[in-house]
Amino acid sequence: MKRTLENISYEEKTEALARFAKALAHPTRVAILEHLGSQSCCFTGDLVDVFPIAQSTISQHLKELKNAGLIQGELQPPKIKYCINMNNWQAAKALFADFFDK
Amino acid sequence: MKRTLENISYEEKTEALARFAKALAHPTRVAILEHLGSQSCCFTGDLVDVFPIAQSTISQHLKELKNAGLIQGELQPPKIKYCINMNNWQAAKALFADFFDK
DNA sequence: TTCCTTTATCGCAAATAAACGATTAGTCTG
DNA sequence: CAGACTAATCGTTTATTTGCGATAAAGGAA
């Protein structure tokens, strides 16, 4: 990849939408968010119990969701409580709504 | 990947959302859809002119969008006219709207 | 049929993503 | 400080994605 000299650049909205979409591009991450939505918050350990995948894998998915800005973690020793980042969640919601309104 | 014995299965809605999201997970594909939305339809060749990427690359992106069901091609010799698949577009729209309404 | 135009596919290379087990890093409690 | 517990990171393997040029299809026109 990246074999072209110049990188194409798109509108910031386009890039942002693609970034959010990428975060949602894996069913496990969607499921995590759904779970998070219904509980409003939860701990990593809860997810490990819910989903039959390794703890490290879940941690990675959480990391990506965090990087995308869709969730945020709050230290609550000895656990970490993850919640949806409502600001960015609303931003994403608006982006998608806008996008599909064509 | 896929090193676990059993494949986890998710709700169909979850999978569907992830599939659509995957299709939107690349800025070029988002841009193609935006372009398609503003024109309602267009030809592959148009896109090659608009985006500074190889024709084969665009063809691949179109293929993925087609596989995801977001667009459809109509033979209009010697070209192919691509349009948004409104049925699936609306379905995707509803899925995302639902998802973000948490 | 042969040529021309358009688009899809093939084959390859490089980059990312996905998953796991093992280890490390934090943060209390005793 | 030592131990216990939770979650993140590391290192590896495998799969998927992205991109390109080159080639093949497909269709209509000459």
Side-chain angles (χ1 to χ4, degrees), chain B residues 69-90:
Chain B
L70 288 171
I71 64 173
Q72 56 197 354
E74 182 197 330
L75 205 62
Q76 202 165 46
K79 299 184 176 184
I80 297 181
K81 191 173 71 170
Y82 281 104
C83 307
I84 285 175
N85 181 322
M86 267 308 160
N87 267 354
N88 293 331
W89 185 268
Q90 293 301 331

Side-chain angles (χ1 to χ4, degrees), chain B residues 2-53:
Chain B
K2 283 286 155 57
R3 317 254 280 313
T4 29
L5 300 185
E6 38 174 342
N7 279 8
I8 318 153
S9 78
Y10 297 96
E11 300 253 332
E12 178 46 32
K13 274 195 172 186
T14 302
E15 302 267 13
L17 188 82
R19 268 197 305 277
F20 281 129
K22 197 171 190 174
L24 300 176
H26 195 289
T28 297
R29 287 197 290 272
V30 175
I32 287 175
L33 290 171
E34 284 169 344
H35 192 261
L36 228 56
S38 67
Q39 312 279 312
S40 81
C41 282
C42 79
F43 304 100
T44 308
D46 301 349
L47 298 171
V48 176
D49 293 338
V50 172
F51 301 105
I53 47 183

Side-chain angles (χ1 to χ4, degrees), chain A residues 4 11 13-14 22 24-25 29 34 44 56 65 68-69 74-75 78 91 101-102:
Chain A
T4 29
E11 300 253 332
K13 275 194 172 189
T14 302
K22 198 172 190 173
L24 301 176
R29 288 196 290 273
E34 285 169 344
T44 308
S56 57
L65 290 174
E74 181 196 330
L75 204 63
D101 259 335
K102 296 270 157 80

